[in-house]
Amino acid sequence: MKTALTREKAVGLLREYNKEPFHVLHGLTVGGVLKWYARELGYGDEADFWEIVGLLHDLDFEMYPDEHCIKSQEIMRENGLDERLIRATASHGYGLHFDGLPEPQHEMEKVLFATDELTGLIGAVALMRPSKSVSDLEVKSVKKKYKDKKFAAGCSREVIERGAELCGLTLEELWQQTLDAMRSCEDSINRQMEEI
């Protein structure tokens, strides 16, 4: 029997396997970003599901970095979670970690693939600003830092570019949309992080 997963339960599962605030913040951010994209792309009735996919996409990364996108499938199945959720979260590792991971097919999976690394890069750019916020961040600042390969070097430009292509967007369009998405959930996420 599949477990109906609420946002509250998803956050609890995220926090069970991720103790570092950075990893929790990343899950919350990608969740909020996917929820925004769901609404923008006409999937408003699935926005909560999209958010849960974002929340749990890196469920195994902190504890099992060498089994990323593999161990999470096992954990989710042990918790009786839906195969659609398991497939969606695993697909963001396609071509990156292990052979056999599903290729992003649904629009949500493509958005996850495209925005996962990008949210990290945009977040790093925001931290360089006096405000430490995306609220006053402009795409031109993201573009400048994006071109500097030493800046946020762990955020793969290749993956971001492949993701933009998967979504049928230019890099600038992806940057702007993801920045808008991050602005939409920043205050809520900051409040949640204060409670951690």
Side-chain angles (χ1 to χ4, degrees), residues 7-32:
R7 184 188 186 281
E8 184 178 50
K9 288 179 183 174
V11 171
L13 195 57
L14 172 68
R15 292 186 63 192
E16 181 181 342
Y17 286 92
N18 292 271
K19 306 303 181 190
E20 290 290 327
F22 174 82
H23 292 137
V24 175
L25 174 63
H26 179 65
L28 292 171
T29 300
V30 176

mmCIF file of all heavy atoms in Angstrom, residues 7-32:
data_model
loop_
_atom_site.group_PDB
_atom_site.id
_atom_site.type_symbol
_atom_site.label_atom_id
_atom_site.label_comp_id
_atom_site.label_asym_id
_atom_site.label_seq_id
_atom_site.Cartn_x
_atom_site.Cartn_y
_atom_site.Cartn_z
ATOM 1 N N ARG A 7 3.254 17.317 2.773
ATOM 2 C CA ARG A 7 4.457 18.139 2.794
ATOM 3 C C ARG A 7 5.157 18.002 4.146
ATOM 4 O O ARG A 7 6.379 17.894 4.230
ATOM 5 C CB ARG A 7 4.105 19.603 2.520
ATOM 6 C CG ARG A 7 5.335 20.494 2.442
ATOM 7 C CD ARG A 7 4.976 21.975 2.360
ATOM 8 N NE ARG A 7 6.169 22.750 2.137
ATOM 9 C CZ ARG A 7 7.050 23.067 3.105
ATOM 10 N NH1 ARG A 7 6.851 22.648 4.340
ATOM 11 N NH2 ARG A 7 8.123 23.777 2.824
ATOM 12 N N GLU A 8 4.367 18.005 5.219
ATOM 13 C CA GLU A 8 4.920 17.887 6.567
ATOM 14 C C GLU A 8 5.709 16.583 6.727
ATOM 15 O O GLU A 8 6.814 16.580 7.270
ATOM 16 C CB GLU A 8 3.779 17.948 7.592
ATOM 17 C CG GLU A 8 4.248 17.932 9.024
ATOM 18 C CD GLU A 8 3.090 18.038 10.003
ATOM 19 O OE1 GLU A 8 2.113 17.255 9.856
ATOM 20 O OE2 GLU A 8 3.175 18.871 10.907
ATOM 21 N N LYS A 9 5.152 15.486 6.219
ATOM 22 C CA LYS A 9 5.860 14.197 6.298
ATOM 23 C C LYS A 9 7.114 14.206 5.428
ATOM 24 O O LYS A 9 8.133 13.633 5.791
ATOM 25 C CB LYS A 9 4.931 13.062 5.873
ATOM 26 C CG LYS A 9 3.852 12.738 6.885
ATOM 27 C CD LYS A 9 2.958 11.616 6.375
ATOM 28 C CE LYS A 9 1.820 11.320 7.340
ATOM 29 N NZ LYS A 9 0.878 10.329 6.793
ATOM 30 N N ALA A 10 7.028 14.856 4.275
ATOM 31 C CA ALA A 10 8.194 14.937 3.383
ATOM 32 C C ALA A 10 9.327 15.712 4.041
ATOM 33 O O ALA A 10 10.489 15.307 3.980
ATOM 34 C CB ALA A 10 7.798 15.577 2.051
ATOM 35 N N VAL A 11 8.994 16.828 4.697
ATOM 36 C CA VAL A 11 10.017 17.608 5.395
ATOM 37 C C VAL A 11 10.609 16.782 6.534
ATOM 38 O O VAL A 11 11.824 16.800 6.764
ATOM 39 C CB VAL A 11 9.449 18.952 5.904
ATOM 40 C CG1 VAL A 11 10.442 19.664 6.821
ATOM 41 C CG2 VAL A 11 9.085 19.864 4.734
ATOM 42 N N GLY A 12 9.767 16.033 7.230
ATOM 43 C CA GLY A 12 10.258 15.156 8.303
ATOM 44 C C GLY A 12 11.231 14.112 7.779
ATOM 45 O O GLY A 12 12.272 13.852 8.399
ATOM 46 N N LEU A 13 10.916 13.524 6.620
ATOM 47 C CA LEU A 13 11.807 12.532 6.009
ATOM 48 C C LEU A 13 13.110 13.186 5.557
ATOM 49 O O LEU A 13 14.199 12.645 5.761
ATOM 50 C CB LEU A 13 11.093 11.870 4.827
ATOM 51 C CG LEU A 13 11.683 10.579 4.268
ATOM 52 C CD1 LEU A 13 11.794 9.499 5.345
ATOM 53 C CD2 LEU A 13 10.840 10.079 3.097
ATOM 54 N N LEU A 14 13.007 14.366 4.968
ATOM 55 C CA LEU A 14 14.197 15.117 4.559
ATOM 56 C C LEU A 14 15.109 15.356 5.757
ATOM 57 O O LEU A 14 16.322 15.124 5.683
ATOM 58 C CB LEU A 14 13.776 16.454 3.932
ATOM 59 C CG LEU A 14 14.891 17.453 3.621
ATOM 60 C CD1 LEU A 14 15.780 16.947 2.495
ATOM 61 C CD2 LEU A 14 14.301 18.822 3.260
ATOM 62 N N ARG A 15 14.528 15.774 6.863
ATOM 63 C CA ARG A 15 15.324 16.093 8.056
ATOM 64 C C ARG A 15 15.846 14.842 8.760
ATOM 65 O O ARG A 15 16.867 14.899 9.442
ATOM 66 C CB ARG A 15 14.514 16.971 9.002
ATOM 67 C CG ARG A 15 14.275 18.363 8.403
ATOM 68 C CD ARG A 15 13.603 19.291 9.354
ATOM 69 N NE ARG A 15 14.437 19.516 10.518
ATOM 70 C CZ ARG A 15 14.009 20.102 11.631
ATOM 71 N NH1 ARG A 15 12.764 20.528 11.715
ATOM 72 N NH2 ARG A 15 14.816 20.266 12.656
ATOM 73 N N GLU A 16 15.168 13.727 8.581
ATOM 74 C CA GLU A 16 15.647 12.475 9.161
ATOM 75 C C GLU A 16 16.972 12.049 8.529
ATOM 76 O O GLU A 16 17.866 11.530 9.202
ATOM 77 C CB GLU A 16 14.601 11.374 8.953
ATOM 78 C CG GLU A 16 14.995 10.029 9.531
ATOM 79 C CD GLU A 16 13.945 8.953 9.292
ATOM 80 O OE1 GLU A 16 12.774 9.276 8.986
ATOM 81 O OE2 GLU A 16 14.308 7.761 9.405
ATOM 82 N N TYR A 17 17.121 12.286 7.240
ATOM 83 C CA TYR A 17 18.318 11.851 6.513
ATOM 84 C C TYR A 17 19.303 12.984 6.227
ATOM 85 O O TYR A 17 20.372 12.735 5.681
ATOM 86 C CB TYR A 17 17.911 11.167 5.199
ATOM 87 C CG TYR A 17 17.334 9.796 5.435
ATOM 88 C CD1 TYR A 17 15.964 9.614 5.607
ATOM 89 C CD2 TYR A 17 18.163 8.675 5.531
ATOM 90 C CE1 TYR A 17 15.437 8.351 5.864
ATOM 91 C CE2 TYR A 17 17.642 7.413 5.782
ATOM 92 C CZ TYR A 17 16.276 7.265 5.953
ATOM 93 O OH TYR A 17 15.762 6.013 6.209
ATOM 94 N N ASN A 18 18.946 14.201 6.592
ATOM 95 C CA ASN A 18 19.823 15.351 6.340
ATOM 96 C C ASN A 18 19.877 16.223 7.586
ATOM 97 O O ASN A 18 18.898 16.893 7.926
ATOM 98 C CB ASN A 18 19.314 16.162 5.144
ATOM 99 C CG ASN A 18 19.449 15.408 3.848
ATOM 100 O OD1 ASN A 18 20.466 15.474 3.173
ATOM 101 N ND2 ASN A 18 18.411 14.658 3.497
ATOM 102 N N LYS A 19 21.028 16.223 8.233
ATOM 103 C CA LYS A 19 21.209 16.987 9.473
ATOM 104 C C LYS A 19 21.844 18.358 9.212
ATOM 105 O O LYS A 19 21.681 19.273 9.997
ATOM 106 C CB LYS A 19 22.070 16.205 10.462
ATOM 107 C CG LYS A 19 21.559 14.796 10.750
ATOM 108 C CD LYS A 19 20.141 14.794 11.272
ATOM 109 C CE LYS A 19 19.658 13.387 11.573
ATOM 110 N NZ LYS A 19 18.217 13.346 11.846
ATOM 111 N N GLU A 20 22.592 18.469 8.119
ATOM 112 C CA GLU A 20 23.250 19.735 7.798
ATOM 113 C C GLU A 20 22.209 20.746 7.319
ATOM 114 O O GLU A 20 21.457 20.457 6.379
ATOM 115 C CB GLU A 20 24.292 19.542 6.689
ATOM 116 C CG GLU A 20 25.511 18.754 7.109
ATOM 117 C CD GLU A 20 26.388 19.509 8.084
ATOM 118 O OE1 GLU A 20 26.473 20.750 7.994
ATOM 119 O OE2 GLU A 20 26.973 18.845 8.962
ATOM 120 N N PRO A 21 22.153 21.931 7.934
ATOM 121 C CA PRO A 21 21.176 22.938 7.509
ATOM 122 C C PRO A 21 21.254 23.265 6.014
ATOM 123 O O PRO A 21 20.230 23.505 5.377
ATOM 124 C CB PRO A 21 21.517 24.167 8.361
ATOM 125 C CG PRO A 21 22.122 23.579 9.603
ATOM 126 C CD PRO A 21 22.890 22.368 9.132
ATOM 127 N N PHE A 22 22.468 23.224 5.445
ATOM 128 C CA PHE A 22 22.620 23.522 4.013
ATOM 129 C C PHE A 22 21.794 22.559 3.166
ATOM 130 O O PHE A 22 21.149 22.971 2.202
ATOM 131 C CB PHE A 22 24.090 23.458 3.599
ATOM 132 C CG PHE A 22 24.287 23.604 2.116
ATOM 133 C CD1 PHE A 22 24.299 24.863 1.531
ATOM 134 C CD2 PHE A 22 24.429 22.487 1.300
ATOM 135 C CE1 PHE A 22 24.452 25.001 0.150
ATOM 136 C CE2 PHE A 22 24.576 22.624 -0.073
ATOM 137 C CZ PHE A 22 24.590 23.883 -0.643
ATOM 138 N N HIS A 23 21.821 21.273 3.503
ATOM 139 C CA HIS A 23 21.094 20.280 2.710
ATOM 140 C C HIS A 23 19.584 20.409 2.889
ATOM 141 O O HIS A 23 18.830 20.217 1.941
ATOM 142 C CB HIS A 23 21.569 18.861 3.065
ATOM 143 C CG HIS A 23 22.966 18.592 2.640
ATOM 144 N ND1 HIS A 23 23.873 17.941 3.433
ATOM 145 C CD2 HIS A 23 23.630 18.903 1.499
ATOM 146 C CE1 HIS A 23 25.043 17.853 2.800
ATOM 147 N NE2 HIS A 23 24.913 18.439 1.629
ATOM 148 N N VAL A 24 19.175 20.751 4.107
ATOM 149 C CA VAL A 24 17.744 20.986 4.346
ATOM 150 C C VAL A 24 17.296 22.212 3.556
ATOM 151 O O VAL A 24 16.255 22.189 2.887
ATOM 152 C CB VAL A 24 17.456 21.155 5.856
ATOM 153 C CG1 VAL A 24 15.990 21.510 6.090
ATOM 154 C CG2 VAL A 24 17.832 19.883 6.622
ATOM 155 N N LEU A 25 18.105 23.276 3.612
ATOM 156 C CA LEU A 25 17.790 24.495 2.866
ATOM 157 C C LEU A 25 17.679 24.206 1.367
ATOM 158 O O LEU A 25 16.760 24.699 0.696
ATOM 159 C CB LEU A 25 18.869 25.553 3.118
ATOM 160 C CG LEU A 25 18.761 26.843 2.296
ATOM 161 C CD1 LEU A 25 17.472 27.594 2.615
ATOM 162 C CD2 LEU A 25 19.979 27.735 2.538
ATOM 163 N N HIS A 26 18.588 23.401 0.852
ATOM 164 C CA HIS A 26 18.557 23.076 -0.577
ATOM 165 C C HIS A 26 17.269 22.329 -0.938
ATOM 166 O O HIS A 26 16.623 22.636 -1.933
ATOM 167 C CB HIS A 26 19.783 22.247 -0.967
ATOM 168 C CG HIS A 26 19.805 21.854 -2.405
ATOM 169 N ND1 HIS A 26 19.906 22.774 -3.435
ATOM 170 C CD2 HIS A 26 19.735 20.628 -3.001
ATOM 171 C CE1 HIS A 26 19.895 22.130 -4.594
ATOM 172 N NE2 HIS A 26 19.782 20.832 -4.361
ATOM 173 N N GLY A 27 16.883 21.364 -0.106
ATOM 174 C CA GLY A 27 15.640 20.636 -0.361
ATOM 175 C C GLY A 27 14.428 21.551 -0.340
ATOM 176 O O GLY A 27 13.559 21.475 -1.219
ATOM 177 N N LEU A 28 14.364 22.421 0.664
ATOM 178 C CA LEU A 28 13.247 23.370 0.754
ATOM 179 C C LEU A 28 13.222 24.308 -0.454
ATOM 180 O O LEU A 28 12.151 24.610 -1.001
ATOM 181 C CB LEU A 28 13.349 24.190 2.045
ATOM 182 C CG LEU A 28 13.134 23.440 3.361
ATOM 183 C CD1 LEU A 28 13.495 24.331 4.541
ATOM 184 C CD2 LEU A 28 11.696 22.952 3.482
ATOM 185 N N THR A 29 14.397 24.754 -0.869
ATOM 186 C CA THR A 29 14.487 25.675 -2.003
ATOM 187 C C THR A 29 14.028 25.016 -3.294
ATOM 188 O O THR A 29 13.193 25.566 -4.024
ATOM 189 C CB THR A 29 15.926 26.207 -2.161
ATOM 190 O OG1 THR A 29 16.294 26.897 -0.962
ATOM 191 C CG2 THR A 29 16.041 27.148 -3.347
ATOM 192 N N VAL A 30 14.550 23.836 -3.581
ATOM 193 C CA VAL A 30 14.164 23.152 -4.816
ATOM 194 C C VAL A 30 12.676 22.795 -4.773
ATOM 195 O O VAL A 30 11.977 22.894 -5.785
ATOM 196 C CB VAL A 30 15.058 21.920 -5.086
ATOM 197 C CG1 VAL A 30 14.589 21.163 -6.317
ATOM 198 C CG2 VAL A 30 16.517 22.353 -5.265
ATOM 199 N N GLY A 31 12.177 22.442 -3.597
ATOM 200 C CA GLY A 31 10.745 22.191 -3.463
ATOM 201 C C GLY A 31 9.913 23.412 -3.806
ATOM 202 O O GLY A 31 8.941 23.334 -4.572
ATOM 203 N N GLY A 32 10.303 24.555 -3.260
ATOM 204 C CA GLY A 32 9.584 25.807 -3.544
ATOM 205 C C GLY A 32 9.678 26.209 -5.004
ATOM 206 O O GLY A 32 8.703 26.689 -5.596
#
